[in-house]
PDB file of all heavy atoms in Angstrom:
ATOM      1  N   TYR A 876     -21.658 163.944 136.094  1.00  0.00           N
ATOM      2  CA  TYR A 876     -22.643 165.017 135.997  1.00  0.00           C
ATOM      3  C   TYR A 876     -23.558 165.054 137.223  1.00  0.00           C
ATOM      4  O   TYR A 876     -24.230 166.052 137.461  1.00  0.00           O
ATOM      5  CB  TYR A 876     -23.472 164.873 134.717  1.00  0.00           C
ATOM      6  CG  TYR A 876     -22.855 165.581 133.537  1.00  0.00           C
ATOM      7  CD1 TYR A 876     -21.731 165.065 132.911  1.00  0.00           C
ATOM      8  CD2 TYR A 876     -23.371 166.788 133.070  1.00  0.00           C
ATOM      9  CE1 TYR A 876     -21.138 165.713 131.837  1.00  0.00           C
ATOM     10  CE2 TYR A 876     -22.787 167.449 132.001  1.00  0.00           C
ATOM     11  CZ  TYR A 876     -21.676 166.913 131.386  1.00  0.00           C
ATOM     12  OH  TYR A 876     -21.087 167.571 130.328  1.00  0.00           O
ATOM     13  N   MET A 877     -23.560 163.979 137.999  1.00  0.00           N
ATOM     14  CA  MET A 877     -24.347 163.941 139.226  1.00  0.00           C
ATOM     15  C   MET A 877     -23.527 164.349 140.442  1.00  0.00           C
ATOM     16  O   MET A 877     -24.017 164.300 141.572  1.00  0.00           O
ATOM     17  CB  MET A 877     -24.948 162.550 139.418  1.00  0.00           C
ATOM     18  CG  MET A 877     -25.975 162.189 138.352  1.00  0.00           C
ATOM     19  SD  MET A 877     -26.654 160.521 138.556  1.00  0.00           S
ATOM     20  CE  MET A 877     -27.622 160.722 140.059  1.00  0.00           C
ATOM     21  N   GLY A 878     -22.273 164.745 140.216  1.00  0.00           N
ATOM     22  CA  GLY A 878     -21.464 165.267 141.307  1.00  0.00           C
ATOM     23  C   GLY A 878     -20.452 164.318 141.893  1.00  0.00           C
ATOM     24  O   GLY A 878     -20.019 164.491 143.039  1.00  0.00           O
ATOM     25  N   CYS A 879     -20.034 163.318 141.103  1.00  0.00           N
ATOM     26  CA  CYS A 879     -19.050 162.343 141.583  1.00  0.00           C
ATOM     27  C   CYS A 879     -17.785 162.383 140.725  1.00  0.00           C
ATOM     28  O   CYS A 879     -17.843 162.722 139.541  1.00  0.00           O
ATOM     29  CB  CYS A 879     -19.628 160.925 141.546  1.00  0.00           C
ATOM     30  SG  CYS A 879     -21.128 160.711 142.521  1.00  0.00           S
ATOM     31  N   ASN A 880     -16.678 162.023 141.329  1.00  0.00           N
ATOM     32  CA  ASN A 880     -15.452 161.776 140.574  1.00  0.00           C
ATOM     33  C   ASN A 880     -15.396 160.293 140.232  1.00  0.00           C
ATOM     34  O   ASN A 880     -15.766 159.451 141.062  1.00  0.00           O
ATOM     35  CB  ASN A 880     -14.215 162.162 141.389  1.00  0.00           C
ATOM     36  CG  ASN A 880     -14.075 163.669 141.546  1.00  0.00           C
ATOM     37  OD1 ASN A 880     -14.223 164.413 140.586  1.00  0.00           O
ATOM     38  ND2 ASN A 880     -13.796 164.116 142.764  1.00  0.00           N
ATOM     39  N   ALA A 881     -14.935 159.974 139.041  1.00  0.00           N
ATOM     40  CA  ALA A 881     -14.852 158.579 138.617  1.00  0.00           C
ATOM     41  C   ALA A 881     -13.430 158.237 138.208  1.00  0.00           C
ATOM     42  O   ALA A 881     -12.884 158.843 137.280  1.00  0.00           O
ATOM     43  CB  ALA A 881     -15.814 158.321 137.456  1.00  0.00           C
ATOM     44  N   GLU A 882     -12.840 157.282 138.909  1.00  0.00           N
ATOM     45  CA  GLU A 882     -11.526 156.769 138.500  1.00  0.00           C
ATOM     46  C   GLU A 882     -11.740 155.621 137.529  1.00  0.00           C
ATOM     47  O   GLU A 882     -12.621 154.786 137.730  1.00  0.00           O
ATOM     48  CB  GLU A 882     -10.726 156.298 139.718  1.00  0.00           C
ATOM     49  CG  GLU A 882      -9.346 155.781 139.347  1.00  0.00           C
ATOM     50  CD  GLU A 882      -8.368 155.796 140.501  1.00  0.00           C
ATOM     51  OE1 GLU A 882      -8.771 156.215 141.608  1.00  0.00           O
ATOM     52  OE2 GLU A 882      -7.208 155.404 140.295  1.00  0.00           O
ATOM     53  N   ARG A 883     -10.927 155.569 136.492  1.00  0.00           N
ATOM     54  CA  ARG A 883     -11.098 154.581 135.440  1.00  0.00           C
ATOM     55  C   ARG A 883      -9.933 153.595 135.419  1.00  0.00           C
ATOM     56  O   ARG A 883      -8.773 153.995 135.400  1.00  0.00           O
ATOM     57  CB  ARG A 883     -11.221 155.280 134.088  1.00  0.00           C
ATOM     58  CG  ARG A 883     -12.526 156.090 133.912  1.00  0.00           C
ATOM     59  CD  ARG A 883     -12.235 157.323 133.091  1.00  0.00           C
ATOM     60  NE  ARG A 883     -13.415 157.997 132.567  1.00  0.00           N
ATOM     61  CZ  ARG A 883     -14.038 159.005 133.184  1.00  0.00           C
ATOM     62  NH1 ARG A 883     -13.592 159.437 134.362  1.00  0.00           N
ATOM     63  NH2 ARG A 883     -15.089 159.589 132.640  1.00  0.00           N
ATOM     64  N   LEU A 884     -10.275 152.307 135.386  1.00  0.00           N
ATOM     65  CA  LEU A 884      -9.296 151.236 135.205  1.00  0.00           C
ATOM     66  C   LEU A 884      -9.784 150.388 134.042  1.00  0.00           C
ATOM     67  O   LEU A 884     -10.680 149.559 134.211  1.00  0.00           O
ATOM     68  CB  LEU A 884      -9.170 150.381 136.472  1.00  0.00           C
ATOM     69  CG  LEU A 884      -8.712 151.076 137.760  1.00  0.00           C
ATOM     70  CD1 LEU A 884      -8.736 150.085 138.916  1.00  0.00           C
ATOM     71  CD2 LEU A 884      -7.330 151.668 137.588  1.00  0.00           C
TER      72      LEU A 884
END
Side-chain angles (χ1 to χ4, degrees):
Y876 271 74
M877 294 178 69
C879 302
N880 289 314
E882 181 159 0
R883 291 145 165 93
L884 299 176

